[in-house]
Amino acid sequence: MSTATSTTGGADTAAVRQAIATTARPPRPGPLSTALTFGWRGMLKVKHVPEQLLDVTVTPVMFLLMFTYLFGGAIAGSTSAYLDYTLPGLLVMSVLFTTVYSGVSLNTDLTKGVVDRFRSLPIWRPAPLLGSLLGDSVRYVIAGTVIITVGVALGYRPDAGVGGAVASLALVVVFSFGLSWVFSVLGLLLRSPNAVMNAGFMGIFPLTFLSNVFVDPETLPGPLQAFVDVNPISILATACRSLMDGTPDGEAIVVALVVAAVLAAVFLPITTRLYRSR
Amino acid sequence: MTTHAPLAIEATGLVKSFGATQAVAGVDLAVPEGSIYGVLGPNGAGKTTVIRMLATLIPPDAGSARVLGHDIRTEGDAVRSLVSLTGQLASVDEELTGRENLILLGRLLGLSRPGARTRAEELLEAFGIAEAAGRLVKHYSGGMRRRLDIAASIVVTPRLMFLDEPTTGLDPRSRGQVWEIARALQAGGTTILLCTQYLEEADQLADGIAVIDRGRVIAEGTPAQLKASVGAGGLHVRLLDPDRRPDAAGILERVVGAVVLEPDPAALSVACSDAALAADGVAALARAGVGIAEFSLGQPSLDEVFLALTGHLAEERDPTLEEQPS
């Protein structure tokens, strides 16, 4: 091997020696700065592979169009009345579906060598997890914004205006922070990204349908109705409806936030432990 | 090693099991600072598991180790701030560009935003990946990916670097480049722990070698010492026609001595330090009409070392035994 090769063909040994000689170790970055750097990494991924947003935006939009125009008239009397009812629920659904991808992307990371690199760095250990959550929140906001925008294009007008829409979106995103740790645990336990996706949707899909997202539970048989009423997704959807309507349902909002906090309190420590020992 | 250089790695009795499989069954290592130390063994011998323990990715089940003076169990953070790891799977993010990977690591190691950017450009240039800097790593060739991987490991120059099979799957030219980089790192004062299943690689780079098999160190020393421990040199013959190997083995056995069949189906060797006797052997082959592509008399290869130490060839282990911690 020659001592100086061209820069197109490979490494330039002299320059490599130079590069090795020039570094002094900088001070360690703080936990927040480290987490933000991982958040930046998450956003770069959305930038490089915007297609991944299609999965999480197209499905809810399809549901929106299908339910509104196929079943809307039958369920609520008119398509516009049904849109009023179901849009906040679809907002919940579209963002919650996105949280499954937090687990999928964590699992994808683990199948590559890059996690070993992160774990061998002298950084605050939960930073990669918290950071990717920051990146994921961008996806949550995009998924939610798409649904609200399509809804408005179809004639949805929240009584509380832009403020109501923003408040609902914010609530759903905060709830998703809690829920995403459940899928992170799945992402650390299961073997492949596909398995995480399947298991995740197997859970979230029925839970979403057994809620008040699509239909008013009043017509349901008693036991089913009881389940729907305590389903956190129903409660979250109720809270979002109330915010959109400009009549905030304090109880539903608080319950939704408490559920999110409990999910995070239980599943975040499990996630960090699993991540460390993996 | 007879010198008393301070030790970069000092491990005693490291043990690690995954379920019922004991991947590492009591490994001792003493790696002098500033050296390139080879850990040589076939797939599944436990090399990667040793590295993962020393880099504090997984705790050992038993035993202890100090890396640059810090205990891997209790001072993990101090260890992590002095070492860097180039894993068996390239430890870079495939879904980012080469430049973004280096900036990411620079930021995580505490460089300022402009500092990380400058450092990234400098490394991209030095490692010959400047032109591909804006492309996603998943589109890189194997050689480029490896170079980026090593560049990522020296964003801040480590005092100890773990190189886990750095040239597996690379073409000879890229392999040579990785070796050059490893030598440059050593010249800059970085200690390197090199895991490899390529005997030639350890012979080329390492100052000291530990041969590891089934989770244990079975031999240790300089490449020359290891070769000497196997005995005198030998006569190596490569035939034009692999089908004639049985004939050739018979002839050499009769004229020279016990024959070893090498992994190359056209090659065989026989222990022999006497040039005249070796010449007789070659002459006998020629008389019998066995075509010879090349022959040499020399020190035993590390292939033979491995065979002599373990009773099996380095390449013949079942690849499903590949260590896979999960």
Side-chain angles (χ1 to χ4, degrees):
Chain A
M1 285 286 123
S2 61
T3 47
T5 44
S6 74
T7 51
T8 51
D12 176 343
T13 311
V16 169
R17 279 171 206 262
Q18 178 69 25
I20 293 162
T22 50
T23 50
R25 183 164 285 276
R28 272 172 71 159
L32 181 67
S33 150
T34 309
L36 285 174
T37 304
F38 278 107
W40 174 69
R41 168 177 179 252
M43 278 175 232
L44 286 174
K45 295 201 165 192
V46 176
K47 187 180 115 191
H48 290 312
V49 197
E51 304 91 275
Q52 60 180 309
L53 287 174
L54 285 181
D55 295 349
V56 296
T57 50
V58 169
T59 317
V61 168
M62 259 169 44
F63 274 109
L64 173 59
L65 296 174
M66 226 169 64
F67 272 82
T68 308
Y69 291 108
L70 274 179
F71 308 131
I75 293 171
S78 74
T79 50
S80 66
Y82 186 65
L83 189 62
D84 272 353
Y85 175 80
T86 200
L87 191 105
L90 282 163
L91 168 68
V92 168
M93 176 180 114
S94 62
V95 177
L96 295 194
F97 277 15
T98 316
T99 58
V100 176
Y101 288 85
S102 301
V104 174
S105 65
L106 183 57
N107 188 283
T108 309
D109 267 4
L110 287 169
T111 61
K112 309 276 165 67
V114 69
V115 166
D116 278 353
R117 160 99 52 204
F118 294 151
R119 292 175 61 226
S120 72
L121 292 174
I123 52 175
W124 185 53
R125 306 212 97 181
L129 293 166
L130 288 172
S132 54
L133 193 61
L134 282 179
D136 289 342
S137 67
V138 175
R139 272 190 257 177
Y140 304 157
V141 170
I142 291 173
T145 309
V146 165
I147 272 295
I148 296 176
T149 309
V150 173
V152 168
L154 297 180
Y156 179 73
R157 296 288 178 270
D159 292 342
V162 177
V166 170
S168 310
L169 182 56
L171 180 66
V172 179
V173 169
V174 169
F175 186 87
S176 302
F177 280 151
L179 183 65
S180 70
W181 296 112
V182 178
F183 297 112
S184 296
V185 169
L186 280 183
L188 287 162
L189 287 177
L190 298 179
R191 279 176 188 278
S192 71
N194 251 333
V196 179
M197 181 116 74
N198 288 336
F201 278 109
M202 232 184 301
I204 196 89
F205 218 87
L207 268 183
T208 307
F209 275 83
L210 295 179
S211 76
N212 64 17
V213 163
F214 295 108
V215 288
D216 192 322
E218 266 168 31
T219 61
L220 300 180
L224 192 55
Q225 190 177 346
F227 178 83
V228 168
D229 284 343
V230 297
N231 182 347
I233 295 183
S234 301
I235 295 165
L236 181 61
T238 304
C240 283
R241 267 183 209 114
S242 73
L243 287 166
M244 290 280 200
D245 293 345
T247 52
D249 178 339
E251 192 194 327
I253 294 171
V254 169
V255 171
L257 290 175
V258 167
V259 169
V262 168
L263 288 175
V266 173
F267 288 94
L268 182 107
I270 300 178
T271 309
T272 38
R273 177 163 310 186
L274 286 173
Y275 188 79
R276 212 175 303 164
S277 64
R278 202 27 208 241
Chain B
M1 301 253 103
T2 48
T3 51
H4 291 285
L7 292 179
I9 299 174
E10 197 178 357
T12 38
L14 287 179
V15 173
K16 185 75 192 179
S17 301
F18 299 109
T21 326
Q22 196 167 41
V24 175
V27 162
D28 300 347
L29 281 179
V31 177
E33 233 178 283
S35 65
I36 296 183
Y37 197 85
V39 174
L40 177 66
N43 270 337
K47 304 186 298 287
T48 299
T49 308
V50 169
I51 280 198
R52 290 172 66 86
M53 285 190 276
L54 293 174
T56 77
L57 296 184
I58 47 174
D61 294 341
S64 65
R66 297 183 85 77
V67 171
L68 296 160
H70 299 285
D71 191 304
I72 56 166
R73 287 176 190 272
T74 55
E75 300 167 86
D77 237 27
V79 172
R80 285 189 287 277
S81 68
L82 296 170
V83 305
S84 67
L85 173 76
T86 302
Q88 196 171 357
L89 303 158
S91 324
V92 286
D93 195 330
E94 296 191 324
E95 289 165 36
L96 302 187
T97 68
R99 179 183 288 117
E100 286 163 355
N101 264 289
L102 295 179
I103 295 177
L104 176 73
L105 282 160
R107 294 289 288 148
L108 292 175
L109 288 164
L111 294 177
S112 67
R113 221 175 286 259
R117 203 162 265 284
T118 313
R119 181 66 178 156
E121 296 307 329
E122 188 182 17
L123 288 170
L124 289 165
E125 199 64 52
F127 283 81
I129 24 188
E131 279 177 19
R135 260 191 280 150
L136 296 186
V137 173
K138 63 177 160 206
H139 302 310
Y140 278 26
S141 70
M144 266 166 42
R145 197 181 288 222
R146 268 298 164 192
R147 293 205 299 275
L148 176 69
D149 201 5
I150 298 175
S153 296
I154 60 167
V155 168
V156 170
T157 311
R159 278 182 55 201
L160 170 68
M161 185 154 157
F162 297 105
L163 275 180
D164 191 3
E165 305 211 355
T167 63
T168 300
L170 294 192
D171 59 73
R173 186 163 163 275
S174 304
R175 181 175 299 182
Q177 288 178 343
V178 169
W179 289 350
E180 276 302 310
I181 294 169
R183 292 190 185 109
L185 274 164
Q186 186 191 22
T190 298
T191 309
I192 296 176
L193 187 74
L194 168 78
C195 280
T196 183
Q197 49 177 324
Y198 296 126
L199 310 150
E200 187 198 352
E201 184 159 270
D203 199 9
Q204 281 276 336
L205 291 176
D207 306 307
I209 296 176
V211 183
I212 182 169
D213 187 43
R214 294 161 212 233
R216 281 178 205 284
V217 175
I218 53 168
E220 223 183 329
T222 63
Q225 281 170 343
L226 281 179
K227 286 171 177 175
S229 73
V230 180
L235 169 67
H236 304 268
V237 180
R238 208 153 66 79
L239 305 174
L240 288 172
D241 179 4
D243 293 341
R244 299 296 306 273
R245 190 157 80 163
D247 303 339
I251 294 166
L252 289 176
E253 191 106 35
R254 189 157 38 77
V255 178
V256 187
V259 167
V260 175
L261 299 179
E262 291 184 14
D264 176 347
L268 66 172
S269 56
V270 49
C272 163
S273 53
D274 179 353
L277 190 57
D280 285 349
V282 173
L285 288 178
R287 272 197 306 276
V290 179
I292 298 174
E294 59 180 345
F295 68 90
S296 64
L297 185 65
Q299 284 197 305
S301 71
L302 279 169
D303 268 308
E304 290 163 86
V305 172
F306 208 89
L307 188 60
L309 291 170
T310 65
H312 59 84
L313 290 172
E315 278 76 17
E316 78 181 12
R317 288 293 298 279
D318 180 356
T320 56
L321 290 176
E322 180 77 25
E323 60 234 54
Q324 198 44 261
S326 81

